[in-house]
Amino acid sequence: MPTPGAGLKVRSMTIGILALQGAVQDHERVFARLGASCRQVRTIADLDGLSGIILPGGESTVMSMYLREYALDDAIRACVAGGMPIFGFCAGAILLCSEVDGPGGRVPGALSLIEARATRNAYGRQNASFEEELETNLGPFPGIFIRAPRLEPLGSSKIVGRRRPEHGGEAVFLRQGKVLAASFHPELSGDDRIHRLFVELCAPA
Ligand code: GLN
């Protein structure tokens, strides 16, 4: 049970959701359930005073193009360097990785905030979407994958969630300090534990 004090902290925080492209509203609904306010982020000014920021699923190539066009890439990197937590889901996770496998080989990631390699659309076209139970540090978690990338930790990122051994056991949820990346979509699962973890990370000490 959250204490009343913790509730007050949650109510006073604003979580930004990058809203250049992609599935913004599903995250807004989860944060509303948890009592945290959200702000859609489209410009550098929208980053002002945020407690944390979400990079939603969508299309990573389109999002990275807009990030550069609006100079949000440098601005977001500066916020994270200043201690702001960030969480990327699926395409958003791709934007965070230091290496991305693309048709031309490995390229530096758009934001490069977590030491990890993303391989886009790694689970094939036919079988691009699937659901299965995952093993995470929070316990079993319903995994919903939509044209998901494969995520591999490099350097000091840690695995906090993976597929079950019978499904290959690969990483699906990584963390390096206050940077989190998940290849699946907890916002569609009805299970709010992963968003709650992020809210706790964003709460002022
Ligand atoms: N396939 C998309 C990409 O590479 C990600 C899909 C998603 O975010 N659901 O950007």
Side-chain angles (χ1 to χ4, degrees):
M1 273 294 279
T3 62
L8 280 175
K9 277 186 199 160
V10 169
R11 275 197 292 280
S12 67
M13 70 167 64
T14 303
I15 307 280
I17 306 183
L18 187 70
L20 300 173
Q21 189 270 337
V24 174
Q25 286 167 358
D26 299 309
H27 290 284
E28 288 176 334
R29 276 191 279 273
V30 182
F31 287 117
R33 286 202 291 272
L34 295 174
S37 320
C38 288
R39 181 194 302 151
Q40 297 191 2
V41 172
R42 294 191 182 81
T43 66
I44 291 176
D46 294 332
L47 294 169
D48 197 35
L50 293 180
S51 301
I53 184 165
I54 294 290
L55 311 178
E59 191 56 46
S60 55
T61 45
V62 178
M63 277 196 261
S64 69
M65 204 178 71
Y66 285 135
L67 276 175
R68 188 75 289 270
E69 193 170 326
Y70 300 116
L72 273 164
D73 48 359
D74 290 340
I76 290 173
R77 269 196 293 265
C79 290
V80 174
M84 190 175 78
I86 188 166
F87 201 149
F89 297 89
C90 201
I94 296 169
L95 298 176
L96 289 175
C97 285
S98 54
E99 279 186 20
V100 179
D101 275 356
R106 282 178 198 152
V107 293
L111 293 172
S112 202
L113 286 167
I114 189 166
E115 291 168 313
R117 179 181 304 131
T119 307
R120 296 184 61 211
N121 303 324
Y123 298 103
R125 284 186 189 279
Q126 260 78 10
N127 230 348
S129 300
F130 59 96
E131 294 188 31
E132 66 184 40
E133 190 177 86
L134 304 170
E135 294 176 349
T136 78
N137 287 6
L138 300 167
F141 198 92
I144 299 176
F145 294 83
I146 305 169
R147 295 185 66 228
R150 182 185 294 269
L151 297 181
E152 293 164 77
L154 306 168
S156 50
S157 64
K158 300 270 179 295
I159 298 177
V160 288
R162 54 170 75 248
R163 299 180 76 191
R164 296 173 65 91
E166 62 270 31
H167 294 133
E170 68 256 27
V172 294
F173 184 7
L174 302 177
R175 177 170 180 175
Q176 185 176 331
K178 292 184 181 175
V179 182
L180 295 93
S183 57
F184 57 104
H185 290 273
E187 75 280 10
L188 299 177
S189 70
D191 186 325
D192 296 344
R193 282 175 295 158
I194 288 179
H195 286 72
R196 186 181 297 279
L197 173 82
F198 187 67
V199 165
E200 283 164 7
L201 201 61
C202 295

